[in-house]
Amino acid sequence: MTIDLRSDTVTKPTKGMLDAMLNAEVGDDVYKEDPSINALEKRLADMFGMDEALFFPTGSMANQAALKLHTNPGEQVICDKYAHIYNYEGGGASFNSGISCKLVDGHRGMFTAEQAEASVNPPDFYHSPLTSLIAVENTTNKGGGACWDFEELKKLRQIATKHNLGYHLDGARLWNALISKGESPKQYGELFDTISVCLSKGLGCPMGSVLIGNKELMQKAVRVRKILGGGMRQVGFAAAAGLYALDNHFERLADDHKKATEIGQLLSKHSAIEKVEPIETNIIIFELKKHIDESQFLDSLTEKGIKIIGMGSNKLRMVTHLDYTDKLHDRFLEIIENL
Ligand SMILES: *Cc1c(COP(=O)(O)O)cnc(C)c1O
């Protein structure tokens, strides 16, 4: 028996999802003739109260397209030092858009409106890059699934408006934040210029992300997606999985959060563990005591069929998900107790 907690991306499509995919009506999406894609895009645009949505194969491509929409080469995006767009998209910000990142030294991947405003370069000071975008992430990945305080996001909106900056949300795991905080997609739609969401994380789809925004930006987004090589044909099969996931796998995220909290409680009592970061959603980040060797610890888990990932400096990460069943959870809690 393997218990794979490396990421919420390791899930396989359920029987119900596969049936939905098999029965999907499809067409050539490059001609905008795929009814399933059109339905998914409309559903997400309506859900967030924004004009239009566009399907992407990956979250990275959706974020990269957003960066391109909001910036010109040489300009700068303000983001946290933990940001996915900076750390985990292969240097795409510079490769695709020719921009640099002004890194904010935030807390768990989040920063304050004051910190953002202090990071805006004066537009008439032509020696520094022109600031054109603020990008935030909710939940934060490297920050351990932390959720932003919505009031801070509102203050950031004011900073963006005041300095004429775009405002992008990397919402790969926004679903988890919505469930954890009892927030609504429309609240987010009112605040941001663009929002990317992943179908392939907690919602359990094999692929797919969606970028949502106003009409003008999204018309440009189709072109940018084409340039990035992301124009797809009968991709309604993937959209059908997404529609199925929104109906069946959204509310259940609360389950993943509950399991993560339970794991965290046990870990925090363990003698090998220095500390467990606060758990708000489905990500658990914990630190081993100094004298414990990380690779030895990982090996001892591997022997028991447990897969998790190391994040460097004796920190490890686990993520709960759809395929981490109640049965696996009970077994895993037992294993931790006896570790
Ligand atoms: C997973 C993730 C993405 C997108 O990743 P892809 O693997 O390209 O789909 C973007 N942002 C965050 C915060 C993520 O966790």
Side-chain angles (χ1 to χ4, degrees):
M1 184 168 61
T2 304
I3 299 176
D4 193 345
L5 293 170
R6 285 171 301 168
S7 173
D8 46 7
T9 54
V10 301
T11 57
K12 298 189 179 133
T14 59
K15 171 84 172 55
M17 183 178 280
L18 286 171
D19 283 342
M21 293 169 79
L22 264 181
N23 293 321
E25 256 190 86
V26 297
D28 190 337
D29 181 49
V30 167
Y31 292 107
K32 287 275 153 216
E33 285 172 6
D34 189 301
S36 302
I37 283 287
N38 293 342
L40 175 72
E41 290 177 349
K42 167 126 190 13
R43 173 148 175 194
L44 283 166
D46 290 349
M47 198 173 175
F48 283 83
M50 298 173 97
D51 296 340
E52 282 180 26
L54 189 68
F55 185 80
F56 283 79
T58 67
S60 297
M61 198 193 277
N63 281 336
Q64 289 301 314
L67 295 181
K68 183 68 203 156
L69 293 177
H70 292 292
T71 62
N72 292 303
E75 295 176 358
Q76 199 161 63
V77 51
I78 295 170
C79 63
D80 190 87
K81 64 180 188 292
Y82 280 1
H84 196 277
I85 56 166
Y86 173 71
N87 290 289
Y88 302 125
E89 297 186 9
S94 55
F95 190 96
N96 297 311
S97 297
I99 57 171
S100 56
C101 297
K102 176 84 165 197
L103 299 181
V104 183
D105 186 14
H107 176 63
R108 303 189 75 208
M110 302 171 293
F111 46 88
T112 64
E114 288 73 32
Q115 282 180 301
E117 187 157 39
S119 304
V120 179
N121 295 326
D124 51 356
F125 187 69
Y126 57 80
H127 306 274
S128 29
L130 185 68
T131 308
S132 43
L133 175 65
I134 299 174
V136 301
E137 199 174 300
N138 200 18
T139 70
T140 64
N141 179 338
K142 200 172 156 70
C147 303
W148 278 79
D149 172 7
F150 197 77
E151 290 306 311
E152 204 62 42
L153 293 175
K154 279 195 200 160
K155 287 186 201 157
L156 278 167
R157 164 79 271 172
Q158 288 167 2
I159 302 298
T161 305
K162 179 174 162 196
H163 296 278
N164 199 21
L165 312 174
Y167 192 26
H168 173 67
L169 170 62
D170 175 354
R173 292 193 182 83
L174 182 62
W175 310 117
N176 299 83
L178 295 177
I179 291 288
S180 174
K181 306 263 291 200
E183 294 164 342
S184 78
K186 288 210 169 64
Q187 280 176 268
Y188 283 83
E190 276 173 19
L191 226 50
F192 287 91
D193 298 315
T194 48
I195 299 175
S196 66
V197 293
C198 277
L199 302 168
S200 54
K201 300 261 166 92
L203 293 186
C205 295
M207 66 174 290
S209 281
V210 177
L211 185 68
I212 313 156
N214 73 29
K215 201 173 165 113
E216 198 191 327
L217 277 175
M218 295 314 292
Q219 273 170 358
K220 287 190 196 148
V222 185
R223 177 183 293 276
V224 174
R225 185 183 68 174
K226 172 76 189 177
I227 294 168
L228 295 173
M232 294 162 286
R233 304 295 177 174
Q234 287 74 21
V235 75
F237 294 114
L243 287 164
Y244 179 88
L246 289 170
D247 287 334
N248 298 283
H249 296 167
F250 180 24
E251 300 292 336
R252 65 152 302 286
L253 290 172
D255 256 26
D256 296 346
H257 299 173
K258 181 165 168 279
K259 288 189 178 110
T261 306
E262 288 169 2
I263 294 172
Q265 279 164 353
L266 265 196
L267 288 177
S268 61
K269 292 186 205 138
H270 199 282
S271 61
I273 290 163
E274 178 68 32
K275 78 169 212 251
V276 182
E277 288 185 13
I279 296 165
E280 295 176 47
T281 53
N282 66 336
I283 302 179
I284 305 139
I285 294 181
F286 62 101
E287 197 181 326
L288 296 172
K289 291 234 164 91
K290 291 251 175 335
H291 65 277
I292 308 279
D293 183 71
E294 179 181 322
S295 56
Q296 259 174 20
F297 185 84
L298 281 173
D299 287 347
S300 69
L301 288 179
T302 310
E303 269 169 35
K304 296 180 172 67
I306 293 154
K307 295 184 181 174
I308 69 170
I309 59 169
M311 303 185 76
S313 37
N314 252 20
K315 277 190 183 177
L316 302 164
R317 187 186 87 161
M318 302 180 191
V319 190
T320 56
H321 53 74
L322 185 60
D323 287 358
Y324 178 64
T325 59
D326 291 347
K327 198 171 138 223
L328 292 177
H329 184 53
D330 290 342
R331 172 100 185 86
F332 185 50
L333 293 182
E334 222 173 89
I335 293 173
I336 301 174
E337 285 201 90
N338 299 314
L339 205 63

